[in-house]
Amino acid sequence: MNNNLLSGLDQELEGELHIDKLSKTLYATDASVYRKMPMAVAFPKSNGDIKRLIHFANEHKIGLIPRTAGTSLAGQCVGEGIVVDVSKHYTNILHLDSEKKQVTVQPGVIRDELNLYLKPFGLFFGPNTSTSNRCMIGGMVGNNSSGTTSIQYGVTRDKVISMKTILSDASEAEFKTLGNEEFQDKLKENSFEASLYYNLHKELITSDIQSEIKEQFPKPQIHRRNTGYAVDELLKASVFGGPEQHINLAKLLSGSEGTLAFTTEITLQLDDLPPKLSAMVVTHYHSLEECLLDVVPVMEHPLQLCEMMDKVILDCTKNNRTQLANRFFVEGDPKGLLMLQLNAHSEAELEKAVRELLKTVETSGLSYASPVLYGADIHKAIELRKAGLGLLGNIVGDMKAVACIEDTAVAVEDLKDFIAEFTQIMEGYGQNAVYYAHAGAGELHLRPILNLKKSVDVGLFRAITTDVAKLTKKYKGSFSGEHGDGIVRAEFIPLMIGDKNYQLLRRIKSYFDPNNIFNPGKIVDAFPMDESFRYEVDRTEPVIKTLFDFSDSEGILKAAEKCNGSGDCRKTHVMAGGMCPSYHVTKNEKDTTRGRANTLREMLTNPEGSNAFDSKELKEVFDLCLSCKACATECPSNVDIATLKTEFLFQYQEVNGYPLRGKLFAHNTKFNRLGSKMAGLTNAMYDSSFFGGVLKKVSGVAKERSLPKVYSVDFDKYKQLFENKFVTNKIKVVLFIDEFTRYLDVEVGKDAIELLMKLGYEVTLFYGESGRTYLSKGFLKQAKAIAEKNASKLADYVNQGLPILGLEPSAILSFRDEYKRMLKDVDLAAKIADNSFLIEEFLAKEIQKGELDATVFNESSKEIKIHNHCHQKALSNQKVTFDILNLPKNYKVTIIPSGCCGMAGSFGYEKEHYETSMKVGGLKLFPAVSKSSNETIIAANGTSCRHQIFDGTNRIAQHPVSILKEALLD
């Protein structure tokens, strides 16, 4: 389409319309295997904007693809028209009627955030998807989502009371419950909305059509059914001979994937919060068949959820830093697990329910272990299950667990036989399928392992899907249980419901949308399911040379391809975790791990020049990445954007040159070393409004930012003050005096020496520049040279097995992380990584071993709040800091549930990033610090974090070793 036409449309909107390459790239994919490049991306701010888009689409015969979080697995959110993203502006909770237990929301409200709002009222929205911390109500309605709790609370369609929409003629209509008389009145009105009622009545009143629907649609007891449009639901109305004295077309729109109307408001029926007490019995099985056989008997109990995970999923969790800890309840090496949750109002009631369930499990004799979980342990187990979808992306290489037959639902009593035949199909194709399931609802998420870059496997993709569709039809099941039809399954709707019913759906689509502008290619007249993949089939893979070693992912391209689009990075700061702090501020897709990985994949796969990294689009998506590394842990696929950004910066700057400011920050340690020789003069210049202002202006530092002071300390001489004064009765340790400790945080270095020596450790000092400043600015050649130099010096220590202790997380943890990608000697790199510890990690282990206790500390009372460095959260854990600061008897310690502080090394100094930096800090960290009393000690082990806390709150934070040193007995 002519860009001038689109530019003209942009001028008419209150919101935004983007036609640039980056925006289109970001929205070309969702969480499915498909890629369709849109012509534009719109962010409407009002109903007027949506109406203008509808008029434009009708005039130019183009599609509008509605989108919220973009976590759909079947390709619902991709198309070649205009993607209309309501996740940015349609995000309000509009009204709560606590008496009716109903809430009205806009489609961009996040499911879990809605429930946080509802919790004080004792209410919640029941459908609970694995993506609940970022998926939005509009998407849940579009797909008729259900999730783990559907056996108790039903599916989204069951909860929709009414929907306000804009129809294809740009008129507004509200679909809600109508009595028989109201329905008849509607038929007499003269409006586009009334014509919909008239045509539906004309179609569904026919006995032949009713009989065909009842005969061909999935079994009615399968409540997870989304195949096509829910015309079978409408037949329940008495106007069509059913038992219900009312009709609600919102039931039809639920699950319609935005193909019938554009939704702007949704009113939902809520439930009372479930009983607070709960227990989970996790039954373990030696075979999948035994696991499935137990589903029917356990479902005789009032289960809150009945979920299944298989060995493939469980094995994926072994390699995920976050989920590894959540495997605590797994006994042995089960082929399958059932997670069976019970709720109750009293402990006696709960224990009775558990006993009865265990008795059933024991009677069946199929399970070899059945641990019972309570409290927080249940949440950990559920998080493990929720992560399953994204964890499948961890399979290294091009073979992936592909979503195509992952949404089959059959009657619970048919599960065993269905799976037996399904297994035969898969064995016939030489497939070891991945199974995870809402077993209690009869829904199994079944995935073949395929390489969709190869035409042979693309053929298998269609063949397997076709055979499983036929099998599902045999059991009168639903081929689309909760993930929708989208592109991948819409082709099979005629098979699933019969051609007569399919033609009915086509007619319904034409009544609602005569010009086919609403999400075309979905449900009816579908796009081919074996085209428009993310990759060109049978292409020659590009060879991309990198300085970092990406062999663990088979190269940098496959490291980017690990992102499967599940969108965990789209959770906001309201949720736990810290992934994508810039997204928390901007709410822009380009500032997510997914957005960055997708853009990198696109540019590396389809480069415009000889150097694929020489891309303004890549420069833009990486610009606001704070390199916090939260994605390396929180992303189920462990897509480490910080590392990918470093490689990009190196490759880009090798072509385009290294900017002055980048050089100043990268070589900052050299300047600090020089400045420390005349520290007084240097610091006076920094404090001077004139000289400091000039320095900031020349170096591109924000004028509002304070500059860190430099110091000169002889740490060897300081260490000598304590030698021979204390008994050395513990092991020898190597204290890493990194570039930040040596010239900036000298007091922390002195405190660490004093603390360790007073505690009886023999301390050897190791001076070295970690290379962090070079890594952060993409100076990889220099960082690699430093790594090699440090490695040669550290070799003797690590060969002796001596622990290397670090004070600055970003410095010491580079030994564990980036050094493994830079050092030639792989074995030495592994030894250095294994022997490098945050000082808190080391001391926490000493506490566990009984080498340290409270007797060496005073008994004064202190309240401490901890903010830990992002790299510690990603590559270590926060508990170690909590544990060591809890050692003094009367210290009351809490961890601030903060994400990134926002400084992120040089990021927060840079003038164009200062505002974002402070907004990130203002989300959680600054308010938590500001609310603390002046007597509360703020602990922060990162030099950038302490600086940011000071600039943002005017509070001085202390390193944990300084706090402990002050607590020592004299």
Side-chain angles (χ1 to χ4, degrees), residues 468-492:
V468 175
K470 291 176 179 176
L471 177 66
T472 308
K473 176 63 175 178
K474 174 183 174 180
Y475 284 91
K476 210 176 179 185
S478 176
F479 202 37
S480 302
E482 64 173 337
H483 296 162
D485 295 313
I487 297 173
V488 74
R489 283 179 288 274
E491 265 196 67
F492 299 93

Side-chain angles (χ1 to χ4, degrees), residues 6-20 23 27 40-46 49-50 52-53 82-90 586-590 620:
L6 291 168
S7 297
L9 174 62
D10 183 29
Q11 298 301 312
E12 296 177 20
L13 300 178
E14 295 176 56
E16 307 159 54
L17 186 80
H18 296 275
I19 59 175
D20 58 287
S23 295
Y27 284 85
V41 182
F43 299 90
K45 270 190 176 180
S46 66
D49 278 354
I50 296 171
R52 291 182 189 98
L53 288 166
I82 300 176
V83 174
V84 185
D85 185 345
V86 297
S87 70
K88 201 167 185 179
H89 301 302
Y90 276 73
T586 69
K587 300 298 190 296
N588 290 327
E589 175 73 16
K590 74 178 179 66
E620 186 173 348

Side-chain angles (χ1 to χ4, degrees), residues 385-666:
R385 187 263 160 211
K386 279 189 173 186
L389 189 64
L391 289 169
L392 292 173
N394 274 342
I395 300 174
V396 175
D398 291 329
M399 301 296 290
K400 300 293 183 186
V402 177
C404 56
I405 54 171
E406 90 296 346
D407 203 25
T408 59
V410 296
V412 174
E413 60 269 19
D414 293 332
L415 264 179
K416 177 181 171 296
D417 293 338
F418 176 84
I419 283 295
E421 291 195 56
F422 172 83
T423 303
Q424 288 179 354
I425 291 174
M426 299 306 283
E427 287 175 352
Y429 286 106
Q431 282 284 323
N432 291 316
V434 177
Y435 298 77
Y436 68 108
H438 305 294
E443 175 154 6
L444 290 156
H445 295 319
L446 317 162
R447 294 192 174 200
I449 310 295
L450 299 170
N451 177 7
L452 293 184
K453 293 180 180 179
K454 300 297 181 185
S455 56
V456 172
D457 280 20
V458 171
L460 288 174
F461 181 63
R462 175 176 283 279
I464 290 170
T465 307
T466 302
D467 284 354
V468 175
K470 291 176 179 176
L471 177 66
T472 308
K473 176 63 175 178
K474 174 183 174 180
Y475 284 91
K476 210 176 179 185
S478 176
F479 202 37
S480 302
E482 64 173 337
H483 296 162
D485 295 313
I487 297 173
V488 74
R489 283 179 288 274
E491 265 196 67
F492 299 93
I493 293 176
L495 168 65
M496 301 308 301
I497 64 173
D499 189 62
K500 288 183 179 178
N501 283 326
Y502 178 66
Q503 295 306 322
L504 169 65
L505 301 195
R506 293 187 74 225
R507 294 195 297 274
I508 290 173
K509 166 70 169 174
S510 70
Y511 299 145
F512 275 86
D513 184 18
N515 290 326
N516 195 26
I517 64 168
F518 287 143
N519 212 4
K522 322 296 164 56
I523 299 186
V524 300
D525 300 319
F527 294 128
M529 61 87 68
D530 52 1
E531 296 178 9
S532 303
F533 295 126
R534 292 188 180 200
Y535 318 102
E536 181 184 343
V537 179
D538 292 331
R539 68 174 178 174
T540 300
E541 289 286 306
V543 177
I544 302 164
K545 294 183 179 179
T546 58
L547 191 146
F548 270 150
D549 178 5
F550 288 99
S551 59
D552 56 341
S553 298
E554 298 183 1
I556 189 171
L557 177 56
K558 291 181 184 177
E561 289 174 353
K562 287 197 300 184
C563 174
N564 60 16
S566 62
D568 299 67
C569 45
R570 281 185 62 100
K571 61 187 179 183
T572 73
H573 71 283
V574 176
M575 297 292 107
M579 186 159 43
C580 294
S582 53
Y583 173 74
H584 294 167
V585 169
T586 69
K587 300 298 190 296
N588 290 327
E589 175 73 16
K590 74 178 179 66
D591 299 320
T592 64
T593 295
R594 179 175 72 179
R596 291 165 180 141
N598 275 338
T599 305
L600 182 59
R601 171 187 50 76
E602 180 74 26
M603 300 308 159
L604 295 183
T605 303
N606 303 298
E608 291 188 342
S610 57
N611 186 329
F613 293 97
D614 188 12
S615 158
K616 66 178 184 179
E617 288 80 15
L618 285 176
K619 192 170 188 296
E620 186 173 348
V621 294
F622 285 123
D623 179 56
L624 291 187
C625 172
L626 282 74
S627 296
C628 68
K629 287 192 175 289
C631 50
T633 299
E634 293 177 31
C635 169
S637 300
N638 298 137
V639 179
D640 185 352
I641 288 296
T643 300
L644 296 174
K645 176 186 178 181
T646 300
E647 183 70 41
F648 159 73
L649 285 174
F650 167 68
Q651 300 286 354
Y652 182 86
Q653 291 170 158
E654 284 289 291
V655 174
N656 294 284
Y658 290 79
L660 173 62
R661 185 175 65 188
K663 292 176 181 178
L664 293 174
F665 279 123

Side-chain angles (χ1 to χ4, degrees), residues 166-272:
I166 302 176
L167 302 177
S168 63
D169 70 337
S171 63
E172 296 186 25
E174 181 178 9
F175 295 104
K176 59 185 179 180
T177 299
L178 300 178
N180 290 344
E181 289 186 12
E182 292 173 300
F183 178 78
Q184 294 299 328
D185 290 341
K186 275 284 182 190
L187 299 180
K188 300 170 187 174
E189 292 179 9
N190 183 23
S191 66
F192 184 66
E193 177 194 356
S195 73
L196 302 178
Y197 285 92
Y198 175 83
N199 284 314
L200 283 170
H201 180 262
K202 177 186 69 176
E203 294 281 4
L204 299 182
I205 199 67
T206 307
S207 59
D208 288 349
I209 287 179
Q210 291 182 11
S211 297
E212 189 73 13
I213 291 170
K214 292 172 183 176
E215 176 67 26
Q216 296 288 346
F217 265 65
K219 291 180 179 180
Q221 65 263 43
I222 303 170
H223 67 278
R224 291 167 176 262
R225 57 190 198 283
N226 285 326
T227 303
Y229 298 134
V231 289
D232 54 336
E233 282 289 317
L234 298 186
L235 294 188
K236 294 178 181 179
S238 60
V239 293
F240 301 124
E244 297 176 355
Q245 298 300 309
H246 57 266
I247 188 169
N248 188 341
L249 293 197
K251 304 292 185 186
L252 184 72
L253 266 63
S254 297
S256 67
E257 301 179 2
T259 62
L260 300 180
F262 204 104
T263 304
T264 57
E265 290 182 23
I266 305 155
T267 298
L268 302 167
Q269 187 65 50
L270 307 172
D271 287 289
D272 292 325

